[in-house]
């Protein structure tokens, strides 16, 4: 009998784990748009717009700000394979699973990798990283900004200056932290940054926004080697070419630049989605998006603590967008996750390595960084834990989260009242600014002339 395959119809889920999260419906709508030719004027215009939008997202003026086709790991690998030559020294501070990933990729690039470590849940002091830089003298410092495996973010302030002073390239992966936490590429002195869409940017996995300083571009361009099938007379070939063709940033730069080098066919649907992710962030305002994640992350943290649950990791360095919750003694963590999924359609995560089966990771990211999702998740978690016989505080989760929201509501209401009182004061004389704006019969914005 012939097997019949039905159209895709995924079950309804509220994804409140460490990512991926539910994509913003506006991103999904953008991704349903029709394809165009890869060199059509509309296509190259959208590519240029995407670059401009991600300069704002990354808070950078870097010309080479673009997308690498593939998941966030593609951006990591493109960065490292294009910057590292065999034998180069690379320093990797490891404080969670994804530091180990940077180490492995660097080793696969043939680097001489030096590692410093702290226990999972902690971060490095600036002094400890500086000491390692001065001791190792690496070509590249590769550090994760926010590691979802531990839910903490490594402070990066001060490292850019140290790296510049010692001639060290400075790379970070911000997949888990970008726009959920304050991050400004140029202010931090970074040379290379890679990200992904599936967390705070509110999109699907499959496209990796990246940005590179002029210093990093110079290193990458020095290894330019145009592939034979598209090489013309006078094109550069390098004896130390980048080990990957697909992740060869020197050629990818020319694909995204005015030369429009035929390197690959852009993943058009992912471009539509990545552009919309950035457009929505820029429209809301980068600082406002970070503040939204901070608010709902604070409410989720208060909620799990209000239930009487313990959290894992250094809370002083916790990311805004995810919290690690210790699984109570006597509670089957996987069974709780299963009940949340089966009975409430809510997905939360566990972790990796030494934390596997010991913590739950609950995210408040992107489109899901909202009041209703936080309160719904806390209410469902309480219900499941009560059935498991866990000693929790009845109503404590939603109640504690409500307290966070009510404090913010009161502050906003007070600010609105103060602004209203201030605007109701009629000045004795019209302000010069208003005089200038209305001179010659000009109508106020939104009014009729």
């Amino acid at each position: 009998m012939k097997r019949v395959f039905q159209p895709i119809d995924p079950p309804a889920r509220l994804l409140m784990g460490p990512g991926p999260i539910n994509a913003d419906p506006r991103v999904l709508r953008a991704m349903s748009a029709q394809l165009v030719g890869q060199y059509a004027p509309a296509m190259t215009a959208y590519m240029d717009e995407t670059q401009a939008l991600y300069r704002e997202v990354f808070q950078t003026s870097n010309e080479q700000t673009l997308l690498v086709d593939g998941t966030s790991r593609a951006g990591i690998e493109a960065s490292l394979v294009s910057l590292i030559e065999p034998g180069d020294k690379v320093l990797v501070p490891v404080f969670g699973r994804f530091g180990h990933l940077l180490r492995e990729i660097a080793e696969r690039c043939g680097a001489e990798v030096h590692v410093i470590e702290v226990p999972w849940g902690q971060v490095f002091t600036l002094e400890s990283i500086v000491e390692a830089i001065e001791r190792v003298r690496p070509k590249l410092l590769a550090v994760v900004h926010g590691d979802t495996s531990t839910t903490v973010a490594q402070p990066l302030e001060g490292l850019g200056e140290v790296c510049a002073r010692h001639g060290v390239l400075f790379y970070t992966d911000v997949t888990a932290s970008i726009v959920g936490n304050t991050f400004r590429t140029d202010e931090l002195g970074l040379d290379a940054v890679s990200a992904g869409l599936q967390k705070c940017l509110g999109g699907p996995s499959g496209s990796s926004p990246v940005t590179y300083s002029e210093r990093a571009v110079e290193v990458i361009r020095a290894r330019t080697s145009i592939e034979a099938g598209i090489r013309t007379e006078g094109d550069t070939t390098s004896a130390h070419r980048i080990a990957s063709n697909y992740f060869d940033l020197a050629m990818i730069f020319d694909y995204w630049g005015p030369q429009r080098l035929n390197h690959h066919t852009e993943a058009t649907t992912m471009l539509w989605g990545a552009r919309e992710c950035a457009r929505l962030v820029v429209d809301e305002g980068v600082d406002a998006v970070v503040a939204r994640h901070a608010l709902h992350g604070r409410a989720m943290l208060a909620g799990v603590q209000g239930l009487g649950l313990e959290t894992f990791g250094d809370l002083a360095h916790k990311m805004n967008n995810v919290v690690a919750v210790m699984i109570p003694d006597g509670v089957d963590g996987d069974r709780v996750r299963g009940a949340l999924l089966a009975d409430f359609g809510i997905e939360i995560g566990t972790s990796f390595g030494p934390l596997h089966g010991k913590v739950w990771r609950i995210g408040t990211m992107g489109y899901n960084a909202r009041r209703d999702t936080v309160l719904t998740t806390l209410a469902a978690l309480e219900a499941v834990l009560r059935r498991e016989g866990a000693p929790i505080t009845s109503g404590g989760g939603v109640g504690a989260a409500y307290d966070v929201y009510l404090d913010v509501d009161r502050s906003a209401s007070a600010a609105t009242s103060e602004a209203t009182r201030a605007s109701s004061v009629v000045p004795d004389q019209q302000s010069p600014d208003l005089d200038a704006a209305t001179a010659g019969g000009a109508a106020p914005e939104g009014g009729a002339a």
Side-chain angles (χ1 to χ4, degrees):
M1 180 182 293
K2 182 179 179 180
R3 185 177 177 185
V4 177
F5 294 91
Q6 299 299 322
I8 289 175
D9 184 22
R13 292 286 186 261
L14 176 57
L15 303 181
M16 297 297 288
I21 49 81
N22 299 90
D24 192 303
R26 293 168 290 183
V27 173
L28 297 179
R29 283 197 294 271
M31 294 179 70
S32 70
Q34 186 54 273
L35 307 185
V36 296
Q38 66 169 323
Y39 295 113
M43 178 67 173
T44 55
Y46 283 134
M47 292 171 73
D48 291 344
E49 290 172 6
T50 300
Q51 291 183 277
L53 285 164
Y54 276 100
R55 290 187 189 105
E56 295 196 45
V57 170
F58 282 122
Q59 301 284 282
T60 185
S61 60
N62 289 341
E63 178 184 358
Q64 298 301 346
T65 302
L66 43 91
L67 304 177
V68 172
D69 290 342
T71 65
S72 52
R73 191 171 298 210
I76 297 171
E77 190 145 345
S79 300
L80 296 184
V81 76
S82 296
L83 288 168
I84 297 170
E85 295 185 52
D88 284 343
K89 291 182 179 180
V90 175
L91 175 62
V92 183
V94 175
F95 61 99
R97 176 198 169 180
F98 295 101
H100 288 293
L101 174 64
L102 299 188
R103 173 186 189 171
E104 176 170 326
I105 293 175
E107 287 174 342
R108 287 174 181 242
C109 294
E112 178 188 315
V113 181
H114 297 257
V115 169
I116 56 175
E117 294 190 61
V118 293
W120 286 30
Q122 298 180 23
V123 296
F124 293 90
T125 63
L126 173 62
E127 293 73 19
S128 63
I129 299 179
V130 171
E131 185 280 327
I133 289 173
E134 293 176 344
R135 172 171 43 84
V136 174
R137 300 287 177 171
K139 174 184 180 179
L140 176 75
L141 170 67
V143 58
V144 175
H145 181 218
D147 196 315
T148 50
S149 67
T150 66
T151 73
V152 299
Q154 171 62 44
L156 302 178
E157 289 76 11
L159 287 173
E161 180 184 349
V162 173
C163 286
R165 187 164 67 246
H166 291 283
V168 177
L169 292 167
F170 184 16
Y171 161 77
T172 190
D173 166 42
V174 297
T175 298
S177 56
I178 190 72
V179 306
N181 306 266
T182 299
F183 180 83
R184 296 183 173 89
T185 299
D186 289 355
E187 285 186 16
L188 290 168
L190 280 148
D191 294 299
V193 184
S194 65
L197 305 182
Q198 72 272 21
K199 298 182 189 287
C200 301
L201 281 167
S205 179
S207 184
S208 180
V210 294
T211 187
Y212 303 96
S213 72
E214 290 183 7
R215 192 160 68 119
V217 171
E218 184 178 347
V219 171
I220 293 165
R221 290 285 194 195
R223 303 178 67 192
T224 297
S225 190
I226 307 301
E227 64 183 74
I230 57 175
R231 190 184 303 152
T232 59
E233 186 175 352
D235 276 346
T236 303
T237 58
S238 171
H240 306 285
R241 65 181 179 180
I242 293 165
S244 170
N245 177 287
Y246 186 71
F247 293 135
D248 185 327
L249 286 175
M251 288 198 287
I252 293 173
F253 290 165
D254 287 338
Y255 177 68
W256 279 81
Q259 187 176 343
R260 301 297 176 191
L261 177 73
N262 189 337
H263 175 257
H264 66 283
T265 301
E266 179 59 25
T268 309
T269 299
M270 286 308 308
L271 173 69
W272 300 162
R275 178 186 178 278
E276 185 69 357
C277 286
R279 189 190 71 81
L280 294 174
V281 167
V282 171
D283 184 60
E284 185 177 348
V286 174
D287 290 342
V289 176
V290 173
R292 173 164 57 84
H293 282 86
L295 169 61
H296 298 298
R298 191 163 69 250
M300 183 64 81
L301 173 61
V304 296
Q305 290 175 331
L307 286 171
L309 300 172
E310 295 183 15
T311 55
F312 171 82
D314 179 0
L315 291 182
H317 295 101
K318 188 188 84 65
M319 286 189 286
N320 291 330
N321 48 298
V322 62
V323 60
V325 182
M326 299 297 297
I327 299 172
D329 291 340
V331 170
D332 186 323
D334 287 341
R335 191 162 65 204
V336 168
R337 292 175 60 228
L340 281 171
L341 191 63
D343 298 339
F344 294 92
I346 297 173
E347 180 179 304
I348 65 173
T350 181
S351 192
F352 312 101
L355 296 180
H356 181 72
K358 296 181 179 179
V359 302
W360 296 307
R361 292 180 298 156
I362 305 176
T364 46
M365 305 189 198
Y367 182 68
N368 289 349
R370 309 193 311 265
R371 184 180 305 206
D372 62 308
T373 60
V374 171
L375 298 177
T376 298
T377 301
L378 289 168
L381 181 60
E382 177 183 343
V384 172
L385 287 174
R386 285 171 64 87
R387 290 181 64 87
E388 288 289 313
I392 57 171
T393 304
S394 181
V398 170
Y402 259 133
D403 287 343
V404 172
Y405 291 129
L406 289 173
D407 284 345
V408 172
D409 292 344
R410 290 190 193 102
S411 298
S413 178
T416 300
S417 298
E418 181 62 30
T420 301
R421 283 195 298 272
S423 64
S424 67
V425 177
V426 180
D428 293 334
Q429 187 174 1
Q430 194 176 38
S431 73
D433 289 343
L434 186 57
D435 282 337
T438 57
E445 184 177 356

